[in-house]
Amino acid sequence: CPHGHALRLLPRVCRVMREFNPDIVHVHVLPLMARVALSLFYRRVKLVLTIHGLPEMAEVSCQPQKQKPTIKRLLERCLLKVFMVRFCGACYISKGVKRFLDGNGPVVYNPIEFGSAKRNGRPSLCAELNLPAGTPLVGTACRIARQKNPQSLARAIGLTLARAPQAHGIVIGTGSPDAVAEMKSIIDECGVSPRVHWLGYRVDAPELIS
């Protein structure tokens, strides 16, 4: 569906819920029509929410003098209060979101515990890539999708490696073939492609990151 206000999202959410009959649903973004369906018909289902950001807080902090809620925003706020949903937990990804959510329900910071990931005796990532121990590594572990702006990530890796000849780049994950190809093209333009390692999808991503 094009966006969260599309009415056709409502029957689609209901169909998915009927087919899977889940006990717990994890949502990254909870669009309005999905919220309507969950609040009206599936109140027994436990919800876990991932908060990616708080755009209203960001807008207010950057331009406090210009913030006047639009009619659309006011209407959305009213509908959010009418169609209330209860979350059994929330994951937040920044300290700003953490400060906002503390005291507003159970929260978990970063569902992957990188510090406690055990390698079970496996060698370090540098050793797996046949790099000298202590080689600086820069990169990411993610699904490569256009909405994440992978071109900027590729430029950041390329510029970093160009200025740090001893460093290597790591990309863990896969996604859109076109987006991956575009990333590799940008890396090539930076002249650092021999030092960028494309590991693809890995089930041991938490261990590799640690």
Side-chain angles (χ1 to χ4, degrees):
C1 292
H3 54 74
H5 298 87
L7 288 173
R8 59 185 177 180
L9 183 61
L10 190 60
R12 293 183 182 186
V13 171
C14 292
R15 186 177 71 241
V16 169
M17 295 295 288
R18 284 197 307 270
E19 290 178 359
F20 287 89
N21 191 28
D23 296 310
I24 300 176
V25 172
H26 174 233
V27 291
H28 282 270
V29 179
L30 189 60
L32 182 58
M33 288 302 129
R35 180 184 290 270
V36 170
L38 293 172
S39 65
L40 290 180
F41 309 119
Y42 304 100
R43 298 188 67 84
R44 65 165 184 82
V45 177
K46 294 181 178 180
L47 298 178
V48 177
L49 175 67
T50 291
I51 311 281
H52 284 276
L54 300 169
E56 286 189 22
M57 289 180 62
E59 292 169 4
V60 170
S61 63
C62 293
Q63 298 175 322
Q65 71 281 6
K66 296 183 180 181
Q67 291 308 305
K68 293 183 179 180
T70 62
I71 298 297
K72 177 183 176 183
R73 180 62 61 83
L74 290 172
L75 180 59
E76 287 177 346
R77 288 177 181 173
C78 292
L79 291 174
L80 293 180
K81 291 181 179 179
V82 171
F83 298 103
M84 293 289 292
V85 291
R86 294 185 305 157
F87 297 105
C88 63
C91 303
Y92 52 87
I93 62 170
S94 74
K95 292 181 179 179
V97 176
K98 176 183 182 298
R99 286 193 297 269
F100 179 80
L101 286 178
D102 274 351
N104 291 282
V107 294
V108 178
Y109 181 64
N110 205 334
I112 297 177
E113 294 292 343
F114 299 114
S116 61
K118 297 180 180 179
R119 298 191 57 79
N120 298 320
R122 295 175 53 195
S124 70
L125 184 53
C126 286
E128 291 187 19
L129 297 173
N130 294 317
L131 300 175
T135 298
L137 303 176
V138 58
T140 187
C142 70
R143 179 175 66 89
I144 301 173
R146 292 211 169 273
Q147 60 264 38
K148 296 185 176 183
N149 193 3
Q151 300 92 336
S152 289
L153 173 64
R155 292 188 188 96
I157 293 175
L159 289 171
T160 301
L161 298 189
R163 297 178 184 182
Q166 75 280 17
H168 281 245
I170 309 288
V171 179
I172 302 171
T174 186
S176 164
D178 291 341
V180 174
E182 194 167 355
M183 287 183 70
K184 291 184 177 181
S185 176
I186 292 171
I187 294 292
D188 288 340
E189 292 175 5
C190 294
V192 297
S193 53
R195 288 188 284 134
V196 178
H197 309 269
W198 303 85
L199 303 187
Y201 176 78
R202 296 285 295 254
V203 296
D204 58 346
E207 297 178 358
L208 295 177
I209 293 171
S210 70

